[in-house]
Amino acid sequence: MTTMNQPITCVLVANRGEIARRVFHSCRERGISTVAVFSTPDAGAPFVLDADTAVHLPGTAASDTYLRAEVIIAAALRAGADAIHPGYGFLSENAGFARAVEAAGLTWIGPSPAAIDSMGSKIESKLLVAAGGVPVLTELDPATVTESQLPVLIKASAGGGGRGMRIVRAVADVPAELEAASTEAASAFGDGTVFCEPYLETGHHVEVQIMADAHGTVWAVGERECSIQRRHQKVVEEAPSPLVERTPGMREKLFAAAVAAARAVDYVGAGTVEFLADEAGRFYFLEMNTRLQVEHPVTECTTGLDLVALQLEVAAGGKLPERQPSPRAGMVGGAAIEVRLYAEDPAAGWAPQTGTIQRFEVDGLAADFALPARERGLRLDSSVEAGSTVSIHYDPMLAKLIAWAPTRTEAARTLAKALATARIHGVRTNRDLLVHILRHKAFLAGDTDTAFLSTHGLETLAAPVAGPAEEKLAALAAALAGAALRRDQARSNGVLGGLPSGWRNLPSMQHTTTFAGPAGEHPIRYALTRRGLKAEGFGGTGVVHLSAEQVSLDVDGLVRTWHLAHYATNAATVIEVDGDGGSVTFTEVERFPDLSLAVAEGSLTAPMPGAVVSVHVQAGDAVTAGQPLLVLEAMKMLHTIGAPVDGVVAELPVTVGQNVDVGMVLAVVNAADSAVK
């Protein structure tokens, strides 16, 4: 790099979460001051505390905070920032925002507004690159879609991240899905424009990282494969692409097409050109993201380049070397894999989860947000820490965990192990799904097309890593640890402090504790005697170590260890059990439950906090299984609540516009057979 001719001394990040923290990290390393902006729900979030200065944007909705260009620019001027980094999402690809930043005398850390305009519209960008000879998928007129053209994909023209996207498999569904996609896009990006194109059931999502300066140099930094997706949002990303690795000549063609796209709009800064490719290596232009991507760490880990630092230098007028630096020592031929850890339940229709993060620990980390210093290791880019609150207002991604190693297999193995043994307490996540993907033989073979989840079965992939037998052992560990905790509490209160847990001066009945876990209820009956542990159904199992936080058992000659944490909630006592065989969350079943809290049979409860945006039925209506009853909006996504069975809507206590909490009854459907009675 040459010396900056427009020095940047203070950067405001017009974003939140882990991307704000990532930008702050590179700024700190270069002596650049940082400014955060935050909404009311984000007060006290880790990214706010990471910044040198923080400015409150009153409000909760993105439209009142992170999407208001004028208040963000005012915050930058007030805090003394001389540059704005947009992160990704929100206003990152908004040309009007970029123009307003420059008009305010601030440095825009991104491409020119003209380039954003050209590439920001997926419709216009396809026409642009097609004129340059890059293959594209043909746009369809939604009004004239025929059965022979199905399935089709309705897609938001602005923004990304899977919002405003719908697969349509029936012509009759096109109008409703157009409206739903447009509504979702408007909510997420402030632009409801959508378009329609053929949907390829299988394919490979391959993208090229671009870095360009204002002096005519354009680098194709490397490619990534991001084919494993849910709801059109990426879940697993890696560099290099397995498809490109095994297809001779494909990388050169991809790089040439990506560079041509960048040069067509005089691109400056970091950007990504995305393609959909088939197994033969033929590829079609999808879009160009005129910003930094979520998955940029895998490129950093395989090249040694700090992409955020390069953004800062290019924005300040720096010049890239004409020849791109070689990958750092030890990473030539290496691989990096990133997974996105979401607060969601894949087995329940990807329902977002909310709550407080009680613990968030991953063992063996070599870096947080930083470039790795050795040839293998783990990096964590996280938006949360212990004590953080996951709210309904924003995307449910908690963190990105990245592993890099000399080989792809080693990177996958390292990442799966780190996820399986991580201590993530307080909210349900997609952690088990990620572990199953990383250990799947098809993934390890590089067979990672966009149909991966449906091909290999979400039911299997989303199953708990801790199977029924492992869960049963974890329940025994939870029972023993719970007894140890109660003994510790008794001792602290001076109650028979010298006696061991469960001591009796006469023989008595076994202790019985029941835990509810993913596989169902586990009644644990045990006694700690002079001769050791006696537990029904656990013959040959003995205690090696016992405390409230750690239990080691000898299971038929093998010593197994679990780490435990106990949390008292309003609803029940929760015990988190983490072991090498996976993690299990248990709730202790009350011996004498409060019957007044029971929910009526046939009740549909809110799977997450949100707002009711539409209601499609009335009390008394006959419905069929799967028929949409109402739609909730949470975390900028629309979630349809369907009838569980054929029957009649007995109750419908919610209305459009109403805010609902998790567990609240939305409707009651009496099954058809019960209605007859």
Side-chain angles (χ1 to χ4, degrees):
M1 288 284 175
T2 60
T3 302
M4 298 181 183
N5 53 30
Q6 299 172 13
I8 293 174
T9 63
C10 183
V11 172
L12 179 144
V13 178
N15 219 292
R16 62 179 300 278
E18 55 85 22
I19 185 56
R21 302 185 79 189
R22 168 68 189 90
V23 175
F24 294 159
H25 175 86
S26 287
C27 288
R28 278 195 304 272
E29 286 193 333
R30 284 150 188 82
I32 298 174
S33 298
T34 57
V35 180
V37 288
F38 64 97
S39 66
T40 300
D42 277 337
F47 80 92
V48 178
L49 303 179
D50 277 359
D52 296 316
T53 304
V55 181
H56 182 211
L57 306 179
T60 56
S63 58
D64 296 328
T65 54
Y66 299 111
L67 288 174
R68 292 190 64 187
E70 71 281 5
V71 298
I72 292 174
I73 293 172
L77 296 172
R78 179 183 171 194
D82 49 30
I84 289 182
H85 191 298
Y88 51 71
F90 295 129
L91 294 170
S92 62
E93 294 178 281
N94 186 303
F97 179 50
R99 290 189 179 94
V101 169
E102 293 179 341
L106 302 170
T107 297
W108 168 251
I109 303 174
S112 69
I116 296 174
D117 271 334
S118 297
M119 288 298 185
S121 165
K122 296 178 179 65
I123 298 172
E124 297 304 319
S125 63
K126 283 189 173 185
L127 298 174
L128 179 65
V129 300
V134 178
V136 300
L137 292 170
T138 305
E139 184 179 347
L140 302 174
D141 180 355
T144 61
V145 168
T146 64
E147 291 289 340
S148 63
Q149 294 172 317
L150 296 173
V152 297
L153 180 66
I154 297 171
K155 193 173 183 180
S157 181
R163 293 174 178 80
M165 294 179 70
R166 293 289 192 281
I167 300 172
V168 185
R169 303 183 187 279
V171 172
D173 295 338
V174 171
E177 296 293 6
L178 269 173
E179 182 179 356
S182 180
T183 299
E184 199 167 85
S187 175
F189 315 119
D191 183 347
T193 305
V194 295
F195 66 99
C196 184
E197 67 184 11
Y199 177 68
L200 303 184
E201 294 282 7
T202 61
H204 295 263
H205 186 117
V206 181
E207 59 191 33
V208 179
Q209 176 69 56
I210 290 295
M211 182 61 69
D213 63 20
H215 308 280
T217 299
V218 181
W219 292 349
V221 180
E223 92 280 349
R224 300 182 286 257
E225 181 155 343
C226 313
S227 297
I228 300 180
Q229 304 178 7
R230 101 293 191 252
R231 287 182 166 179
H232 312 292
Q233 289 182 298
K234 301 162 187 175
V235 177
V236 181
E237 302 122 334
E238 58 182 309
S241 157
L243 174 67
V244 175
E245 285 281 278
R246 63 175 178 258
T247 307
M250 184 178 179
R251 179 170 289 121
E252 290 75 13
K253 294 176 183 177
L254 275 172
F255 284 9
V259 169
R263 291 194 183 282
V265 292
D266 295 324
Y267 198 84
V268 175
T272 300
V273 186
E274 301 192 352
F275 301 92
L276 185 65
D278 63 20
E279 193 60 39
R282 295 183 291 262
F283 57 84
Y284 304 90
F285 174 86
L286 287 177
E287 60 185 315
M288 183 174 186
N289 293 134
T290 53
R291 54 173 169 79
L292 196 66
Q293 293 277 86
V294 178
E295 57 272 23
H296 75 274
V298 294
T299 298
E300 294 186 327
C301 289
T302 51
T303 64
L305 296 174
D306 184 329
L307 295 177
V308 174
L310 289 172
Q311 285 185 294
L312 295 170
E313 296 190 43
V314 165
K319 185 176 182 181
L320 296 170
E322 291 185 9
R323 177 172 294 183
Q324 180 180 330
S326 299
R328 63 186 179 83
M331 287 308 299
V332 177
I337 305 173
E338 171 184 291
V339 292
R340 301 190 190 188
L341 186 69
Y342 286 99
E344 67 182 10
D345 186 354
W350 309 100
Q353 306 293 297
T354 59
T356 300
I357 303 293
Q358 302 288 358
R359 182 175 294 185
F360 194 84
E361 299 172 0
V362 181
D363 291 334
L365 293 178
D368 287 294
F369 301 102
L371 295 178
R374 57 181 193 242
E375 67 175 19
R376 56 171 56 80
L378 287 166
R379 166 176 162 175
L380 180 69
D381 286 20
S382 174
S383 64
V384 299
E385 296 173 346
S388 296
T389 298
V390 182
S391 75
I392 66 170
H393 302 290
Y394 309 111
D395 185 276
M397 189 175 78
L398 303 179
K400 305 176 307 195
L401 187 60
I402 308 101
W404 71 95
T407 68
R408 182 175 180 272
T409 298
E410 183 182 340
R413 184 171 59 241
T414 300
L415 189 51
K417 172 75 171 179
L419 281 168
T421 57
R423 289 171 289 283
I424 306 168
H425 302 167
V427 296
R428 188 186 300 273
T429 72
N430 66 334
R431 179 247 300 269
D432 288 348
L433 170 74
L434 299 174
V435 173
H436 282 305
I437 291 173
L438 293 166
R439 290 176 174 171
H440 200 283
K441 62 181 181 180
F443 178 84
L444 294 174
D447 297 333
T448 57
D449 61 30
T450 54
F452 189 94
L453 296 183
S454 59
T455 298
H456 301 292
L458 181 60
E459 182 177 347
T460 299
L461 293 171
V465 169
E470 181 70 24
E471 185 174 320
K472 183 180 178 181
L473 276 170
L476 175 60
L480 295 171
L485 176 64
R486 289 188 290 273
R487 182 69 262 164
D488 290 344
Q489 292 170 339
R491 286 172 179 155
S492 67
N493 293 327
V495 180
L496 301 176
L499 296 181
S501 175
W503 183 87
R504 298 289 188 277
N505 63 347
L506 293 172
S508 64
M509 295 178 63
Q510 291 180 316
H511 300 284
T512 300
T513 307
T514 302
F515 296 100
E521 291 193 354
H522 301 273
I524 305 297
R525 300 178 179 89
Y526 72 96
L528 291 171
T529 72
R530 294 178 180 179
R531 296 181 180 179
L533 173 67
K534 288 186 177 181
E536 288 187 11
F538 297 92
T541 299
V543 175
V544 176
H545 174 82
L546 175 57
S547 71
E549 292 79 30
Q550 182 176 321
V551 174
S552 295
L553 300 176
D554 184 322
V555 184
D556 296 324
L558 299 176
V559 177
R560 302 284 307 282
T561 297
W562 292 265
H563 299 275
L564 301 99
H566 312 258
Y567 304 102
T569 70
N570 292 332
T573 298
V574 175
I575 302 93
E576 300 277 5
V577 185
D578 300 303
D580 189 58
S583 297
V584 185
T585 300
F586 291 112
T587 55
E588 189 170 348
V589 178
E590 294 288 340
R591 291 188 180 185
F592 306 104
D594 185 348
L595 297 180
S596 68
L597 300 177
V599 176
E601 183 178 356
S603 295
L604 292 170
T605 58
M608 71 211 77
V612 179
V613 296
S614 62
V615 176
H616 301 297
V617 295
Q618 297 179 352
D621 286 354
V623 294
T624 57
Q627 179 179 337
L629 304 181
L630 53 93
V631 177
L632 292 180
E633 181 179 16
M635 297 180 176
K636 298 305 173 187
M637 298 288 283
L638 300 180
H639 307 273
T640 300
I641 307 298
V645 293
D646 294 349
V648 175
V649 179
E651 297 179 31
L652 192 68
V654 296
T655 58
V656 173
Q658 181 177 344
N659 291 320
V660 298
D661 292 323
V662 63
M664 181 174 175
V665 175
L666 304 174
V668 178
V669 177
N670 289 337
D673 54 356
S674 64
V676 171
K677 298 176 185 178

